[in-house]
Amino acid sequence: MAFLLTGFGLMVVGAGGVRPCNLAFGADQFNPKTESGKKGINSFFNWYFFTFTFAMMISLTLIVYVQANVSWAIGLAIPAILMLIACILFFSGSKIYVKVKANGSPMTSVAQVIVVAIKKRRLKPVEQPWFSLFNYTPPTSINAKLSYTDQFRFLDKAAIRTLEDKINPDGSPADPWKLCSLQQVEEVKCLLRVIPIWVSDVVFFIAIVQQQTYAVFQAVQSDRRLGSSNFKVPAASYGVFMMLSLTIFIPIYDRIFVPFLQRLTGKEGGITILQRIGIGIILSALAMLVSALVEEKRRTIALTKPTVGTAPRRGGISSMSSVWLIPQLALTGLAEAFGSIGMVEFYYKQFPENMRSIAGSLFFCGMAGSSYLSSLLITIVHRTTNWLPEDLNKGRLNYYYYVIAALGVLNFGYFLICAKWYKYKGGITDTIEITQQAKPIKP
């Protein structure tokens, strides 16, 4: 058991290192300063999720079949061999990769801005902050120069230069824990602006989690036979329809919808990133509504018509075909195609360049947070209602789905408020360009 758990631990560490970083590393291979590079970055996130989801489909079908019907040893050896091949391919191309050199911990700069802003909290705000605040960009910095924004203005005090603040000959502050640059302040503002959107994303994923859990329970108590044969589709395999929907739609969206929308709107990706995320949130709420209606139909048939068997440790199997579960799963796949991919692209483009690995990890932290939030919600429902018993026929799973759908609608309203308030990094229309160096003021 210790040996097995060690293997699981290594998988967790490996996934934690690979998943956030390969998104940033892959997108770094494109030059964002060229038109082809911009298009490449936009397409990269679509095709990353396409290959990622396709690989999961293979894993949940072929490899699971080998593990269940041939041998667990062979079933586990296949992914291990594939990972070895992946490592060989990855390292063989190391000489041709674009590698962005690290410039120290980006979180140190964030901490400096917060600490200095607190120290200087008693200072009065300066007039014309885009002109008066201290600004310095290290020559080795990989971050794009940011314009001044009027949000989170309490942080501006970190860049107010007093007579006590000394400057080095190269223009940098002598003590970065007493004076920060406006560039640093704006980078921290980028992070703070993303947090409200991230909260909305956590709620968005709650709907996705339900299709990975309770949709399986629905399949267990539905007629899973194919036609007149006795072959039953495994209940856990129905998640493939969600992945199939995503993998089919992504190439259509990338090759047909995006060029059409670009001609229609004149925008780089056809629609803005926040619009794409918003569509995903709407589709997730719609998927939960469809799930509730399907569950209501399944339960009614199970209680009013003869069942086709009994599920172990659960209850009667409804004569409703499990094919009726496909629409809710397909809608969830479309929601991911818009919402999840939009989130990854949003975090990558809105974080400072030296924090893009952290941006990738924020996406997966949102997924993890939604799982914990879903568990909390289920616990509350268990303690206050009898909607979610082992036997779905004795409960009201459809009511629980309606609650998630309502939560999705409220989340969409919250998201609209955040999206209207949000200012994209490096925007021109809502920012003021910094043109001159700051002068010291008396404390």
Side-chain angles (χ1 to χ4, degrees):
M1 181 58 68
F3 191 81
L4 180 64
L5 292 176
T6 301
F8 288 156
L10 291 172
M11 288 173 61
V12 169
V13 174
V18 171
R19 290 188 181 182
C21 295
N22 60 4
L23 286 165
F25 184 76
D28 283 344
Q29 305 309 302
F30 301 92
N31 185 357
K33 296 181 180 180
T34 64
E35 287 300 320
S36 61
K38 291 178 181 178
K39 292 180 180 178
I41 292 175
N42 292 336
S43 293
F44 169 75
F45 295 109
N46 290 328
W47 291 103
Y48 171 85
F49 267 86
F50 175 85
T51 54
F52 179 74
T53 308
F54 183 78
M56 289 181 65
M57 288 175 57
I58 299 298
S59 177
L60 288 175
T61 52
L62 297 180
I63 294 179
V64 168
Y65 176 82
V66 172
Q67 291 173 343
N69 298 282
V70 181
S71 167
W72 270 99
I74 296 176
L76 292 172
I78 293 173
I81 293 171
L82 291 175
M83 282 303 301
L84 177 62
I85 295 173
C87 288
I88 294 173
L89 289 173
F90 177 76
F91 287 111
S92 63
S94 61
K95 292 184 178 180
I96 61 174
Y97 296 141
V98 174
K99 300 176 184 177
V100 180
K101 294 183 179 180
N103 290 318
S105 173
M107 299 312 295
T108 301
S109 178
V110 175
Q112 287 171 345
V113 171
I114 295 173
V115 170
V116 178
I118 293 173
K119 287 181 178 179
K120 295 185 175 182
R121 64 188 181 278
R122 300 185 187 281
L123 295 179
K124 293 181 179 181
V126 296
E127 296 181 1
Q128 297 183 322
W130 58 91
F131 176 80
S132 303
L133 296 179
F134 173 75
N135 194 34
Y136 168 78
T137 303
T140 58
S141 175
I142 63 173
N143 293 348
K145 184 180 179 181
L146 299 178
S147 302
Y148 174 78
T149 56
D150 59 0
Q151 295 174 324
F152 305 108
R153 285 177 288 183
F154 63 92
L155 292 175
D156 293 349
K157 295 181 180 181
I160 295 178
R161 181 185 171 190
T162 68
L163 295 176
E164 297 176 355
D165 296 323
K166 305 301 180 183
I167 304 300
N168 292 323
D170 62 354
S172 63
D175 188 348
W177 291 97
K178 291 184 178 180
L179 177 65
C180 297
S181 68
L182 183 54
Q183 174 75 11
Q184 289 177 280
V185 171
E186 288 300 322
E187 289 172 3
V188 176
K189 288 182 181 181
C190 288
L191 302 184
L192 294 179
R193 277 195 291 266
V194 166
I195 292 176
I197 303 293
W198 178 79
V199 172
S200 178
D201 296 344
V202 172
V203 179
F204 160 78
F205 278 116
I206 293 178
I208 310 298
V209 171
Q210 309 314 312
Q211 302 300 338
Q212 298 169 350
T213 53
Y214 278 103
V216 176
F217 300 153
Q218 285 180 279
V220 169
Q221 291 189 254
S222 300
D223 186 0
R224 291 176 281 119
R225 293 176 297 181
L226 286 181
S228 58
S229 66
N230 291 323
F231 176 78
K232 291 184 179 181
V233 178
S237 296
Y238 278 83
V240 171
F241 290 106
M242 185 167 59
M243 301 175 188
L244 192 62
S245 170
L246 189 150
T247 52
I248 291 175
F249 179 73
I250 286 176
I252 296 174
Y253 177 80
D254 190 72
R255 298 302 176 187
I256 299 177
F257 283 7
V258 170
F260 172 75
L261 291 172
Q262 283 177 332
R263 291 192 295 270
L264 193 66
T265 65
K267 296 178 180 177
E268 184 179 312
I271 56 177
T272 67
I273 307 175
L274 289 177
Q275 286 173 341
R276 183 172 185 173
I277 296 173
I279 293 173
I281 294 174
I282 294 174
L283 289 174
S284 68
L286 182 61
M288 295 313 300
L289 180 61
V290 172
S291 300
L293 296 173
V294 171
E295 171 56 21
E296 196 167 346
K297 177 181 176 66
R298 186 208 65 78
R299 181 178 179 274
T300 301
I301 292 175
L303 295 177
T304 59
K305 295 182 179 181
T307 59
V308 294
T310 302
R313 299 187 303 277
R314 292 197 174 273
I317 299 176
S318 174
S319 58
M320 186 196 80
S321 173
S322 56
V323 172
W324 283 96
L325 298 175
I326 295 178
Q328 69 190 59
L329 294 167
L331 278 172
T332 305
L334 292 178
E336 281 210 274
F338 280 98
S340 297
I341 300 177
M343 291 170 201
V344 170
E345 185 178 355
F346 175 75
Y347 297 144
Y348 178 84
K349 291 184 175 180
Q350 297 305 303
F351 267 58
E353 285 77 358
N354 63 343
M355 296 187 190
R356 283 173 172 170
S357 298
I358 299 174
S361 65
L362 193 66
F363 171 75
F364 292 104
C365 287
M367 294 177 65
S370 69
S371 296
Y372 287 116
L373 196 58
S374 177
S375 298
L376 175 62
L377 189 60
I378 291 172
T379 300
I380 294 172
V381 171
H382 270 304
R383 291 182 178 180
T384 56
T385 71
N386 59 349
W387 293 351
L388 304 174
E390 289 289 329
D391 183 359
L392 296 183
N393 298 333
K394 296 179 180 179
R396 301 295 302 198
L397 177 60
N398 56 315
Y399 289 171
Y400 176 67
Y401 281 158
Y402 282 131
V403 170
I404 302 296
L407 191 63
V409 173
L410 292 174
N411 184 43
F412 180 66
Y414 164 79
F415 175 80
L416 285 179
I417 296 173
C418 294
K420 187 173 181 61
W421 166 83
Y422 189 82
K423 293 183 178 181
Y424 286 97
K425 185 183 79 172
I428 298 174
T429 58
D430 53 8
T431 57
I432 304 171
E433 185 66 29
I434 306 160
T435 56
Q436 298 188 38
Q437 185 56 277
K439 296 180 180 180
I441 66 171
K442 294 182 180 181

